[in-house]
Amino acid sequence: MIHDIAIDGPAASGKTVVGRLLAQRLGWRFLDTGVMYRAVTWLALERGVSLEDADGLGDLARTYPIRLADGVSSDDVSRPVETAGTRLGPELYQSRVDNNVSNVSKHSTVRRALVDQQREIAELAATVSGIVMIGRDIGTVVLPDAGLKVYLTASAEQRALRRWREMRERGQEINLATVQSEIEARDVIDSSRDDSPLRPAADAWPLDSSGLSIEETVDAIMRRMEGC
């Protein structure tokens, strides 16, 4: 019986909204691991830690663990998380965080610290029901034995449009072409980093959501799950 689903994919591929809805349907926990890297990035920017200081960033991630809502899940991107005694929500989606999170997440020191935290969260969730975990290295590194691994993607144009709409809803004014350029640059960083590069696990199920609605994408994953 499946107790964990790993969903990986590039920026703005729909992982968060799809993963959240899937978890709600299953009655499982949901963890967006990207929020944890965003929190470390925000903290580093606030405290003036160089984004090239691997040891300093690793110390931040270990010293100030990321606490999500109820200690296990974060089922809305605007729900606060806590780190270093500070509650964070919209701050995690500022342009300065968007533009730097890949540079922070490429460091092995940061990844090791957060992967340990992510595995602890998954183990706790499995004792209650199950977990849907999303990110860029869930199926390859964090949960290599996950019952179902999905590699969710979409065209760069579609992903840019999705991210642009999200940013406008948060009151951020930005050009669509700029958003697409930033997403494509992030793809390069994520897929070429030395530690845990973005790539589908060998046994991951590839799913292109370019022409699918959120509900249709979740339906497809549910059907795939039934066949496992």
Side-chain angles (χ1 to χ4, degrees):
M1 183 175 180
I2 293 176
H3 292 286
D4 47 9
I5 297 176
I7 302 180
D8 292 303
S13 57
K15 299 186 300 295
T16 300
V17 65
V18 167
R20 182 169 62 240
L21 180 56
L22 178 62
Q24 289 173 349
R25 286 197 189 179
L26 294 170
W28 288 7
R29 302 294 189 178
F30 171 66
L31 173 61
D32 175 2
T33 60
V35 170
M36 302 173 77
Y37 290 97
R38 285 178 175 274
V40 175
T41 303
W42 179 88
L43 187 59
L45 292 170
E46 286 292 302
R47 299 201 171 194
V49 177
S50 171
L51 303 188
E52 298 303 319
D53 181 1
D55 290 337
L57 293 170
D59 287 342
L60 280 183
R62 287 190 301 273
T63 304
Y64 303 105
I66 313 304
R67 304 300 183 191
L68 305 183
D70 79 12
V72 174
S73 68
S74 176
D75 54 18
D76 190 273
V77 295
S78 63
R79 177 172 291 183
V81 298
E82 295 184 358
T83 185
T86 303
R87 293 176 65 83
L88 302 170
E91 298 92 339
L92 298 179
Y93 298 90
Q94 295 171 343
S95 292
R96 65 173 186 153
V97 175
D98 275 341
N99 295 337
N100 288 295
V101 64
S102 287
N103 289 322
V104 170
S105 63
K106 71 181 181 182
H107 293 295
S108 298
T109 51
V110 176
R111 303 198 70 82
R112 284 195 295 267
L114 294 188
V115 166
D116 286 344
Q117 296 175 35
Q118 292 155 14
R119 286 173 175 164
E120 290 176 2
I121 291 170
E123 289 175 5
L124 177 58
T127 66
V128 179
S129 53
I131 189 167
V132 176
M133 188 178 293
I134 71 168
R136 288 173 174 74
D137 64 347
I138 309 306
T140 55
V141 176
V142 182
L143 300 177
D145 298 320
L148 174 61
K149 302 176 186 178
V150 179
Y151 191 79
L152 185 64
T153 188
S155 67
E157 294 79 8
Q158 183 63 44
R159 290 187 288 126
L161 182 60
R162 290 172 179 171
R163 178 57 54 82
W164 178 73
R165 287 172 174 167
E166 291 173 359
M167 296 175 77
R168 285 177 61 86
E169 289 175 359
R170 293 195 295 267
Q172 296 175 251
E173 293 296 331
I174 188 169
N175 183 274
L176 176 58
T178 299
V179 175
Q180 182 168 335
S181 177
E182 291 176 350
I183 281 180
E184 291 173 344
R186 185 168 177 182
D187 287 347
V188 172
I189 294 174
D190 290 345
S191 60
S192 61
R193 66 187 178 221
D194 293 331
D195 191 339
S196 307
L198 170 65
R199 59 180 175 81
D203 54 348
W205 178 53
L207 177 58
D208 188 329
S209 65
S210 296
L212 302 177
S213 68
I214 296 167
E215 290 76 13
E216 289 171 335
T217 303
V218 173
D219 287 343
I221 296 174
M222 292 285 286
R223 289 194 296 271
R224 183 74 178 189
M225 182 180 177
E226 291 171 0
C228 292

